[in-house]
Amino acid sequence: MLRLGPFKWHELSLGRALRVALGVAVPLVVGVVTHHLDDGAFAALGALPAGFASFEGRARTRVAAVVAASTGMAVSTFVGGVLAGSAPWLLVPVVALWGYATGLSVCLGLWLSVAILQWAVALLIAVGIPQSPSQAALRAGLVLAGGLFQGVLVAASWTVQRGAAERAALAESYRSLSAYASGLAAGSTEPPPPADFSATAVVADPNPLLSDTTRAICLNLLEQAERIRASLAALGAHTAADPSGTVRTFAVRTSEVLDVAAEAMSARSAVPATRLRELNAVLAGQAAAARTSGWHWVAEALLGQLRAVDTIVGRMRTTGSGTGHAGPDEAPQRPVPGPGVEWTALTLKANLTPAGETGRHAVRLAVVAGLAELMVHISGLFQGRWVVLTIFLVLKPDFASTLSRSVHRALGTAAGAGLGAGVALLARPQDAGLIVGATVAVAAAYALFSVNYLLFSVSLTVFIVIILDILGLSAESTATARLANTAIGAALAIIAYWAWPTWEGLTAQQKFARLLTSQSAYLTYLLSRLGRPGTTDLARLRALQSAARRARTDADASTARLAAEPIHPPLTPAVARTLVAVVMRLAHAELSLHLLVLQQAASRRAAGTGAADRDEEWRGCAPSAQLDALAAALGGTLDKLAEALVTLKAPGGLPPLRRLEASLRDRSLPDGSRLLPITDSIVDATNTLSDVLRREFA
């Protein structure tokens, strides 16, 4: 049965579509006014893919995606135009190289992979109009200008409702805490979801026009949310042994406070803030009444955190969104790092091997795209670039996405090609009619991009047919050729996946098991080397880190594939997402530990003859056996959890991690102030993994 869905109408975004469509329409209008419509069309072709790249990321990352897409598209436009005109056979290895880069980019996250995909789109569009190097350079400049114009529009959007996205995301995060507190009041004893708050990504990449003070306030509210989540989990441990119901009553009131706090974050009036202060006063009375109970300390901690939220929200209300600098008391407590050049390089290096899912996909896409380009050259297929372009767009790491995109792309192109030819025929020879038709089509494509791939393909094909008609390529022949070649490309993508499927690799539970065993090996080695900086093998450390990165990438891909397939408990998409989120917390702590190990090794090298004294200082404060015991316990726990994932049975007989970690706190450690928070996070994340698997596999 042919499936045309799903239709995600809730993701329809008319405002965003109009903004990005403006970036495509303006170059066309400028082209008409200056009597250089061809140049305007090239700029519009540059703005089109950059517009899709601008959908990803938050603030700076969104502009970075547009710049990355635009720069790569300009280079691709030049290369494609020059090679098509002078050495068309060289396009075969170039297409294969672009295919490998596109396939490998999926490990870098959505916003970078979408940006890099646009490079291949620009390359293959440029192939259709061969030019000399000087002409190709001019065209590449127009493509770059069109793409960067989209970046200017994105940056301009920062001036509208500054801070609104951050406030809304924080409010949503606090409402999720309120929902959890409400569940405790209803008798639930489950731990809170370990996934990141919705505000985490927004606060990590805020509107650049926010003042330093406002950014610090957002970070502090996010930090308080993390602390409140931990306190609510501690409160939940007391609900079962509460015959009087006072803990549940306290949870009800806490839920109300969190709801009002969320309203105060998103509202401009002072009413919610006043109500928040009143509710906190009532909550303080309940905490005082519980002074003789076993959960009093939890109540006091939670109350202190909610009072802090009250104070921070008050600052948010009185702080404008203009420029400024944070005061000492408003400094961000927990800066959220973003991926940089080093992270990108390490991630790519970890996924180069075809043994992993990403590496296999990269090689498969390179081979299939290169062979398709070779077939086009040998056969002389008219406008055969659409065959290769279709392969780039529909061949994905998983079969479900490849099959659905292939079918939807073929059907959408069939409908859009006929519709586009009709619009071009009716509008010709009036340039204004062509521009209006192109603008409406591209706005529809942008609006429907996240709604349904079939509808998106129809709208995009209409736009491409009209633009190519402006550039002098007959709409009728373009529509016919694109229809046939898209069908060929879609069929080749499906055949390629059947011939070289990703499911030759490990099953989902085995991938998640490998995720935990790789973390176990990496973490165990880090802890065992901590007190022995002179024995650290840096090559082995890098190899363990790369293996852990590769396993996380494969687990991410497996999670995406599970979401597209029928649900098979107990390893459901929700469980998979939770496991990935918790492992990311563990990975962040491991990176801090990795840095500490490297710094100790560097310090030992700098100390020279004093290095032995430094090592002895560590052994005197925390014997290597003590760290080894914690390392062995953590490694053993992660290995048992990996076994549980393979057998899909609840783990049992796990060592007392918290007790072993607490023994470190009884020592006066060199660098202890840095080590102990790291081990605390590691133990917490590992225990969370244990709780999740016990709950789901019981």
Side-chain angles (χ1 to χ4, degrees):
M1 180 178 176
L2 183 62
R3 295 184 59 187
L4 303 181
F7 296 89
K8 304 175 184 177
W9 294 109
H10 64 282
E11 295 192 16
L12 183 69
S13 179
L14 295 178
R16 179 184 66 179
L18 292 175
R19 185 205 77 210
V20 186
L22 178 66
V24 178
V26 167
L28 292 174
V29 173
V30 172
V32 170
V33 172
T34 60
H35 304 291
H36 290 87
L37 184 55
D38 288 0
D39 291 344
F42 283 127
L45 284 173
L48 173 69
F52 291 118
S54 74
F55 288 1
E56 308 304 332
R58 294 288 178 177
R60 290 182 178 87
T61 50
R62 182 168 293 178
V63 172
V66 174
V67 172
S70 302
T71 304
M73 286 160 49
V75 173
S76 300
T77 298
F78 178 80
V79 171
V82 171
L83 291 184
S86 60
W89 281 98
L90 286 179
L91 284 170
V92 175
V94 168
V95 165
L97 179 61
W98 259 243
Y100 186 79
T102 302
L104 192 62
S105 69
V106 300
C107 69
L108 300 178
L110 193 57
W111 71 271
L112 266 177
S113 63
V114 169
I116 293 174
L117 173 62
Q118 312 313 315
W119 302 357
V121 173
L123 175 75
L124 293 163
I125 289 178
V127 167
I129 309 177
Q131 290 187 325
S132 66
S134 59
Q135 292 173 322
L138 173 60
R139 186 168 67 180
L142 291 170
V143 168
L144 179 62
L148 294 181
F149 180 58
Q150 291 284 21
V152 171
L153 293 179
V154 171
S157 68
W158 294 342
T159 63
V160 181
Q161 294 183 333
R162 283 180 282 176
E166 290 77 11
R167 295 166 72 106
L170 285 165
E172 181 181 348
S173 299
Y174 274 78
R175 289 191 185 98
S176 70
L177 288 174
S178 172
Y180 177 66
S182 180
L184 294 181
S188 172
T189 58
E190 292 187 356
D196 283 340
F197 287 112
S198 58
T200 301
V202 181
V203 173
D205 185 19
N207 186 327
L209 299 183
L210 286 182
S211 67
D212 292 345
T213 300
T214 302
R215 294 183 201 180
I217 287 172
C218 291
L219 276 171
N220 280 322
L221 284 172
L222 181 58
E223 176 67 25
Q224 288 300 325
E226 293 284 4
R227 296 179 65 198
I228 290 170
R229 175 158 60 178
S231 295
L232 286 175
L235 185 68
H238 295 274
T239 55
D242 177 40
S244 64
T246 54
V247 175
R248 294 188 184 185
T249 303
F250 188 83
V252 169
R253 191 65 70 182
T254 301
S255 177
E256 294 176 6
V257 172
L258 290 168
D259 264 335
V260 174
E263 184 182 353
M265 290 172 202
S266 56
R268 296 290 183 180
S269 68
V271 175
T274 303
R275 177 65 175 155
L276 177 61
R277 205 161 293 116
E278 294 172 354
L279 288 174
N280 270 332
V282 174
L283 201 63
Q286 290 187 341
R291 193 156 289 160
T292 59
S293 65
W295 58 276
H296 169 66
W297 66 273
V298 179
E300 287 293 341
L302 190 54
L303 185 60
Q305 292 152 9
L306 293 173
R307 282 196 297 263
V309 169
D310 182 11
T311 301
I312 299 169
V313 168
R315 291 177 188 161
M316 175 179 278
R317 288 185 52 252
T318 58
T319 300
S321 56
T323 59
H325 297 281
D329 61 328
E330 295 167 338
Q333 298 176 13
R334 185 172 54 90
V336 185
V341 175
E342 184 180 2
W343 174 89
T344 302
L346 288 172
T347 302
L348 288 174
K349 182 179 178 181
N351 286 276
L352 288 175
T353 171
E357 184 168 307
T358 299
R360 186 185 308 117
H361 171 62
V363 174
R364 179 174 53 214
L365 183 55
V367 170
V368 175
L371 289 176
E373 182 67 23
L374 180 62
M375 180 200 74
V376 168
H377 278 283
I378 293 175
S379 65
L381 187 64
F382 177 61
Q383 294 197 10
R385 66 187 184 280
W386 298 117
V387 173
V388 186
L389 181 57
T390 299
I391 290 171
F392 273 97
L393 294 175
V394 305
L395 186 54
K396 299 299 178 184
D398 63 290
F399 180 72
S401 296
T402 300
L403 180 61
S404 64
R405 277 185 171 247
S406 297
V407 173
H408 290 176
R409 186 81 182 180
L411 293 176
T413 299
L419 183 58
V423 171
L425 187 63
L426 291 174
R428 195 186 301 135
Q430 298 297 322
D431 291 339
L434 291 172
I435 292 174
V436 170
T439 302
V440 171
V442 77
Y446 283 134
L448 297 169
F449 179 62
S450 301
V451 174
N452 178 264
Y453 194 73
L454 172 62
L455 298 180
F456 159 73
S457 297
V458 172
S459 304
L460 182 63
T461 301
V462 172
F463 172 79
I464 293 295
V465 169
I466 295 174
I467 286 294
L468 293 180
D469 187 78
I470 292 174
L471 292 175
L473 299 176
S474 168
E476 294 85 349
S477 61
T478 297
T480 304
R482 181 160 189 192
L483 174 60
N485 293 339
T486 297
I488 295 172
L492 288 176
I494 295 175
I495 293 171
Y497 202 100
W498 276 109
W500 194 354
T502 293
W503 56 72
E504 286 180 355
L506 302 174
T507 61
Q509 63 260 37
Q510 287 173 327
K511 286 183 180 178
F512 278 94
R514 191 176 68 184
L515 171 67
L516 296 189
T517 55
S518 66
Q519 298 298 320
S520 170
Y522 180 40
L523 177 58
T524 301
Y525 189 75
L526 283 171
L527 284 172
S528 66
R529 298 304 98 189
L530 190 61
R532 307 178 181 89
T535 63
T536 302
D537 184 343
L538 296 181
R540 183 182 176 190
L541 187 58
R542 285 193 296 269
L544 291 171
Q545 185 184 41
S546 294
R549 285 177 182 273
R550 187 163 55 250
R552 289 202 304 274
T553 301
D554 286 350
D556 281 334
S558 183
T559 300
R561 185 168 58 256
L562 283 172
E565 296 175 352
I567 295 178
H568 298 288
L571 190 55
T572 63
V575 175
R577 285 191 293 268
T578 300
L579 292 174
V580 169
V582 181
V583 170
M584 284 304 300
R585 287 170 50 200
L586 180 63
H588 289 156
E590 288 170 344
L591 286 175
S592 298
L593 192 60
H594 189 133
L595 179 61
L596 187 57
V597 170
L598 292 181
Q599 288 176 341
Q600 285 189 354
S603 176
R604 185 181 190 279
R605 288 194 300 270
T609 56
D613 295 337
R614 176 68 172 171
D615 293 349
E616 185 61 33
E617 182 185 0
W618 263 96
R619 283 191 288 269
C621 296
S624 298
Q626 194 171 15
L627 281 170
D628 289 345
L630 179 60
L634 285 165
T637 298
L638 290 170
D639 288 340
K640 286 186 176 181
L641 297 181
E643 182 182 350
L645 280 163
V646 174
T647 61
L648 298 180
K649 295 180 180 179
L654 300 179
L657 297 180
R658 184 56 70 184
R659 187 187 310 164
L660 289 169
E661 194 271 337
S663 66
L664 289 176
R665 300 177 182 274
D666 299 331
R667 302 276 181 166
S668 177
L669 302 176
D671 300 324
S673 60
R674 299 172 59 196
L675 173 63
L676 295 179
I678 297 172
T679 56
D680 180 67
S681 297
I682 289 171
V683 168
D684 179 70
T686 306
N687 283 337
T688 302
L689 286 170
S690 303
D691 291 340
V692 170
L693 294 183
R694 282 197 188 101
R695 181 178 71 244
E696 299 298 336
F697 294 173

